[in-house]
Structure formats: structure tokens, C-alpha cells
Amino acid sequence: MPELAIPDPCLVVLIGAAGAGKGRFAARHFAPAEVVSRAAFGDDGAFLAALRGRLSGGRLTVADTDATRPALRAPLVALAREYDLGAAALVLDLPRPLLEDRGADPAALIAQVADLRRTLPGLAAERFGTVHLLRSPEEREAATLRRVPLPPDRRELRGPFDFIGDVHGCLPELRDLLEQLGYHETEAGTWTPPPGRTAVFLGDLSDRGPDSAGTLRLVMAMVRAGAALCVRGNHDEKLARALEGRKVSPAHGLGDTLAQLDAAEQDSGGPGLGAEVRAFLEALPAHLVLDEGRVVAAHAGLPERYQGRDSSRARRFALYGDVDGQTDDCGLPVRGDWAASYGGAALVVYGHTPHTAPRWLGRTLNLDTGCAFGGRLSALRYPELEVRSVPARARYAEPARPLPEP
């Protein structure tokens, strides 16, 4: 019995010649509101408008249409990408004699089957991220469907949470903050949370502070133990690329982090930590949607239109914020203030842009308070909405400009 895994949400395109049973398949596996059938509309414009209405809300949507040629599929894939969703192809390629027995027009059927089989190998190149192929009525009837949530979707986790801002290798301050939050260090060196609570690290674990290797060890151990979650930051992304062997600049503390990881491996008598860190960072989601969608964690913040999405645009915004490639007179990226116009229902907790104190703005909170620059390391207790901070023990790096007031 074939199990068909599809991302949820995405645009599911049912592909098959006339008589392949696409409507029956859709009725069996999807709710009526999820299915948009081309046959119900007078023209392609109305059909695409109906798809757009569902996709704009980030909902799983099924396009029931022949789409046996790339020219018919291209507008559907483009529509999914417009809303930062993937496209999945469910192909019903049944034998032509069987379709002819069901009364399909022979001339039209010959063309549809020929088009479908000629172009099937190119579906991945057409940017369908998921492709499932069913070649017989028996396969179609036996198939089961499994919806796979996208990596950011952890809405089933209700908390309570302790969101922790950019650590940047400030291990002493992280230990101070965890103690203040009621976390306890065990004899084995791991940290356990107060009953029921989970720490959520907002990325940028390394660089600038005195002990990036120790910080990474601590956070990785907490995540492995189920005591913490973590999203990826831009410094984490750069470190992962460096550990992969790609050419990156060692600026902004990265060179020190790499040296600390090398020293740790030498002390342990062999390689291991660098590979472990790389695998950990590469597996991190770019953002998390938690507590039934009530709160979003993203390193650089995230507008509503990207929340829950796993597109390249959503990941780039979550890591780098509202940037367009411009730099200021200090050589730093010019960052737009996305939070000033944010109108989403979810509380967005983020970091990335250091301030002298936590910055509340509408339904957003920036927790980067510049610990590595001599500021503070801050956390938000959720759902209490209580901010906790500890002062930096030293000024480990100099900011390019004074930190702004919130």
C-alpha cells in the first residue's frame, strides 16, 4: 500500500488525463473546501483566483486539473511560489485503454497521455518539490496520504517557554541567565529546566564572546535532552558554511570561534566537535511557530506573510531581516524596520539587531541587548511576558556604532 507524503501546507496539483479518477481521488483524501476543480470555473482566470484565495492564507490547496503539459502546470507552480509555498505533483498515469473504456474522447486522450508521459521525467525541473506517481487503479485505490508539517510548524508545543536572545559565545552570562530563570546544572554538566518549561534560543550562538565552543556544547546538549529548541541565526549560518569548507570571511568573531573548535578537538584527541556543530546548525529551522500559532521565534524577525513557510525568501528574512544589499557608512547592512509595520496576530520574538534594552513594538519583541558588546543577555518568559536580563561580565567586542535605545 503506497503512502504518499505531502508537505502541509503546499499546493497539490492532481495531474492526469481525462478519466484518470482525479476527482474521486481528491474526494477520498481531501476535504471539499481544500479542492479547487478547474471544471467548476468558466476560465483559467477564475480558477487561478480561487487558488490564490486559499494559498494567500497559507492553507493546503488541491488543484484538480488535467495539467498534462508543462505550459498548463507552470502557472500553478508560479502561484505556489508567489505565496512561498511548495508544489506537490500527484500523477495518475493510468493505462490508455482503461481511460478509453471510460468514454474519454480518443483523439484528446491520445494527446494528453502522450504529453504526460513525455514530460513526466521533467517534473522536478519544473520545481515540483514532491512527486508521486500512481500507474494503476489498484495503486490509486490503495494509496494513503500522510501530511507532513513544514519544519517551522511546531504549534503543538504549548510551552511555557523561555526565549533567550543572541548569546554570541557569552557562556558565563548564559549560565547566569539560566540560573536566574530557574534552570539547574547537573553533575554531568547538562542544564535542566523548571518543570514544564522549555528554552528557545533565538540564534547567533557563537562569535565575539569568550567561549563559543562551550556555548555550542551547552545549547546542543539542551536541545538533545529536549530541554531547549533553537532557530538558526546569520552567524550560525556562516559558521556552518565555514565548517563545510566553504570560503567565508573570519570577521566579526568567526575566526576566534573556529580556533576554539579546533582547540577543543585537539584537547579531545581527535575530530568530532566541528562535525557535530555543523550537523546541529544545518538541522536548525530558520524559525518556529509555537503555541497553536500564538508566538513565532525567528532570529531577525518575520512578517506575517512568511510565518510557517519554508521558502528561500522566508528563510533569508528570518536569518538576515529586511535587507536589500545596501550597506551604511560603517559597512553594515541597512536593515528596514519590519516591526514598525507588523500587524500579525502572533507575537514575534527575535534578536539580530542589538539595542541597549529589550525593544517592545506592537506584537514584536527584540531580545538582542548586546551582551558581547558589554550590554546584557535577555530572555522572555512566555506566556507570562516577563523579561529577565543579566549584565555582561565584560565588554568582549566593540560595536561598529553605539547601540540604539529601544
Side-chain angles (χ1 to χ4, degrees), residues 306-329:
Y306 293 140
Q307 292 171 12
R309 313 295 211 269
D310 195 36
S311 67
S312 58
R313 283 192 301 191
R315 291 192 296 270
R316 188 165 53 248
F317 198 107
L319 264 65
Y320 301 101
D322 188 4
V323 294
D324 59 6
Q326 298 184 62
T327 56
D328 60 18
D329 53 2

Side-chain angles (χ1 to χ4, degrees), residues 51-139:
L51 293 173
R52 186 184 300 273
R54 284 192 56 83
L55 294 172
S56 62
R59 293 169 289 182
L60 186 141
T61 303
V62 181
D64 179 5
T65 178
D66 293 341
T68 53
R69 290 184 286 118
L72 299 174
R73 298 189 288 261
L76 303 177
V77 175
L79 193 59
R81 290 174 57 79
E82 179 183 342
Y83 290 104
D84 293 279
L85 293 171
L90 295 185
V91 185
L92 279 66
D93 181 20
L94 273 59
R96 198 180 80 194
L98 178 63
L99 301 179
E100 290 175 346
D101 289 344
R102 294 179 176 177
D105 176 66
L109 191 60
I110 289 173
Q112 287 182 335
V113 171
D115 286 337
L116 176 60
R117 292 179 180 170
R118 174 176 53 83
T119 62
L120 268 181
L123 285 175
E126 293 178 34
R127 308 194 84 160
F128 282 97
T130 301
V131 177
H132 293 298
L133 178 60
L134 301 174
R135 292 191 178 275
S136 69
E138 293 76 19
E139 283 188 351

Side-chain angles (χ1 to χ4, degrees), residues 305-380:
R305 67 182 181 275
Y306 293 140
Q307 292 171 12
R309 313 295 211 269
D310 195 36
S311 67
S312 58
R313 283 192 301 191
R315 291 192 296 270
R316 188 165 53 248
F317 198 107
L319 264 65
Y320 301 101
D322 188 4
V323 294
D324 59 6
Q326 298 184 62
T327 56
D328 60 18
D329 53 2
C330 296
L332 299 175
V334 176
R335 300 172 184 172
D337 191 1
W338 68 274
S341 58
Y342 177 70
L347 170 65
V348 181
V349 188
Y350 68 108
H352 187 52
T353 304
H355 286 70
T356 58
R359 182 199 190 214
W360 282 102
L361 188 59
R363 296 284 295 163
T364 73
L365 173 62
N366 181 352
L367 278 175
D368 185 356
T369 46
C371 185
F373 298 130
R376 304 178 70 83
L377 184 61
S378 297
L380 173 73

